[in-house]
Amino acid sequence: MLPNLSKFKCRMDLINSDECPFAGDSRVNVFPGLTTVHLLFVREHNRLAQKLGDLNPHWDDERIFQETRRIIGAVHQKVTFEDFLPHVIGGDAMRAFGLLPGNYRYDPNINPGIINEFGVAAFRYGHTQINTFLNSDGSKRISDMFFRPWEAMKSEGSIKTDKFMTTEVTDKLFLDVDAIGHSTDLAARNVQRGRDHGIPPYTDYLDLAFMKFIKPHKIDYSTILFPDCSSSDNVYDSVQDIDLFVGGVNEHPMKGALVGPTFAYIMGEQFKRLKNGDRYFYETTDPVVGFTSAQLSEIRKQSLSHVICQNSETRYIQPDIFSVANTNTNDVASCADYTDIDLIPWKEEPPEDNMTSSQK
């Protein structure tokens, strides 16, 4: 379990006496969904560490920790690049940027750092997917969940990516967390953040996306920004003034994607750098830092559904956790049907004692 912080340190109201969990990122307490993901992977780490220790009793704590950390990092990369990302940027972008499984090629000249436009605009597309309510019966509003990580989570689908954001995060973001009734606006924060960082206007990136992504790869995209026009006329004097975040979420999604071509271009470029600029990416064949073929095979079998099944009271879940369950292609299955990671490929024989019995 995650250790606790006092309610004062995690910025909860003074009425509730519950404590907040502590993790490597203070945002663990912002919303119950974030808390849940942190907790899942901490539990998975501890579970695998116990199994590795039992399998290799001659390993010390440091060796167990480092090997477990390496496995968890690899599973996280597999889930991110192979299970999550295709839903976001679509198959065309996955192919265009060489992000399909098996295409890893380490390049020491690639900077794997985070692109400013990715951090302040493109990867914030998900803010438009936030529902008004946490659950389908409407008993828990999103605005009532901020900094209240003890609230139970339920399985609910997100809404589509578009130019609309629920008032739960535009009018009521962090409402009442200071016990005074203040709130803020997430959309306004995104726009202001882009301006604070000196991000060029949306049209500059649309031009780049067309020249470097859409046209070279013959991607069919003819959607016009702001099809009703009225929404932009009342805000911007010129189309050249549109902020990157605003323009990006107003694009119609590409085929099989959640985002339009401009955000797909920025995210595709970012994840290509994160992958091919990382010498330790889990698919590396470098025998010094990489996994054996048997170990890699086990990692590739894992999914977020596996992690949830192994570390929660969930008993039934769909294979693709990033898609709503359906009886045709993503039917709910029993957790008993999900094969746990086999750690036998990590078993090592204890080092032999070089001394003979007579020498002893």
Side-chain angles (χ1 to χ4, degrees):
M1 297 294 290
L2 293 168
N4 286 337
L5 281 176
S6 70
K7 61 185 179 181
F8 175 77
K9 290 182 180 179
C10 58
R11 291 181 57 197
M12 292 193 302
D13 61 81
L14 301 179
I15 299 174
N16 197 296
S17 61
D18 292 84
E19 295 183 335
C20 285
F22 175 71
D25 190 322
S26 61
R27 290 171 295 183
V28 64
N29 297 304
V30 170
F31 193 75
L34 293 173
T35 311
T36 301
V37 174
H38 277 272
L39 180 57
L40 278 173
F41 278 96
V42 167
R43 286 181 174 179
E44 179 70 349
H45 173 278
N46 293 343
R47 189 180 74 89
L48 295 186
Q50 181 65 55
K51 295 181 71 173
L52 282 174
D54 293 342
L55 192 65
N56 298 290
H58 55 287
W59 284 7
D60 60 19
D61 289 347
E62 181 66 15
R63 176 69 189 280
I64 293 172
F65 169 76
Q66 294 296 345
E67 196 62 32
T68 306
R69 180 176 182 268
R70 198 163 73 103
I71 295 172
I72 294 296
V75 171
H76 194 280
Q77 286 183 329
K78 185 272 176 183
V79 169
T80 300
F81 281 84
E82 299 180 25
D83 302 340
F84 164 74
L85 192 58
H87 288 296
V88 180
I89 65 176
D92 286 336
M94 290 291 291
R95 286 185 289 273
F97 289 95
L99 292 169
L100 295 175
N103 285 349
Y104 171 67
R105 298 291 184 274
Y106 173 61
D107 184 345
N109 297 312
I110 290 180
N111 182 352
I114 301 301
I115 302 169
N116 210 2
E117 293 80 1
F118 173 87
V120 306
F123 211 50
R124 297 177 185 271
Y125 76 92
H127 292 169
T128 71
Q129 294 181 294
I130 300 173
N131 277 301
T132 299
F133 299 98
L134 185 66
N135 49 1
S136 56
D137 63 13
S139 62
K140 294 183 182 295
R141 302 186 71 93
I142 294 296
S143 57
D144 294 330
M145 299 294 105
F146 301 128
F147 292 100
R148 291 164 176 82
W150 61 86
E151 294 288 351
M153 292 294 293
K154 293 187 177 181
S155 175
E156 302 291 340
S158 62
I159 58 179
K160 67 179 181 179
T161 303
D162 53 28
K163 63 183 178 181
F164 301 106
M165 293 176 67
T166 175
T167 55
E168 295 295 290
V169 294
T170 56
D171 293 350
K172 304 174 185 178
L173 183 68
F174 303 151
L175 178 65
D176 286 337
V177 298
D178 57 5
I180 299 175
H182 292 161
S183 65
T184 185
D185 183 333
L186 185 57
R189 279 189 171 205
N190 290 343
V191 170
Q192 189 60 52
R193 183 183 288 109
R195 295 177 182 182
D196 287 345
H197 284 242
I199 300 299
Y202 158 75
T203 50
D204 285 18
Y205 296 97
L206 178 60
D207 290 341
L208 280 173
F210 183 79
M211 290 187 296
K212 295 187 175 183
F213 171 47
I214 302 172
K215 186 177 180 180
H217 297 281
K218 298 181 173 62
I219 294 172
D220 181 21
Y221 181 73
S222 56
T223 304
I224 300 175
L225 178 69
F226 291 122
D228 60 359
C229 291
S230 59
S231 58
S232 61
D233 289 345
N234 295 330
V235 178
Y236 296 99
D237 292 333
S238 167
V239 70
Q240 304 296 330
D241 295 333
I242 297 174
D243 294 278
L244 176 57
F245 175 77
V246 175
V249 298
N250 271 275
E251 289 185 339
H252 286 305
M254 296 176 61
K255 181 180 178 181
L258 294 175
V259 297
T262 302
F263 275 5
Y265 162 66
I266 294 172
M267 284 192 267
E269 179 64 31
Q270 177 66 77
F271 279 98
K272 180 182 74 174
R273 296 186 185 191
L274 287 171
K275 181 175 183 177
N276 293 330
D278 181 4
R279 185 166 73 91
Y280 298 95
F281 191 75
Y282 89 98
E283 286 187 315
T284 181
T285 56
D286 185 335
V288 177
V289 299
F291 295 97
T292 67
S293 58
Q295 291 170 343
L296 195 57
S297 176
E298 289 302 313
I299 290 169
R300 283 178 168 146
K301 295 176 185 176
Q302 301 308 297
S303 69
L304 188 53
S305 296
H306 285 79
V307 177
I308 293 173
C309 278
Q310 294 292 340
N311 299 282
S312 72
E313 296 180 358
T314 301
R315 292 295 174 262
Y316 297 91
I317 198 169
Q318 66 269 35
D320 182 2
I321 195 65
F322 298 106
S323 295
V324 176
N326 66 77
T327 56
N328 295 324
T329 60
N330 196 31
D331 199 7
V332 171
S334 170
C335 280
D337 296 334
Y338 291 92
T339 305
D340 192 13
I341 185 171
D342 184 359
L343 295 179
I344 291 299
W346 279 267
K347 180 178 177 57
E348 291 184 358
E349 295 299 325
E352 294 183 3
D353 192 336
N354 292 327
M355 292 187 300
T356 64
S357 56
S358 60
Q359 287 175 320
K360 292 180 180 179

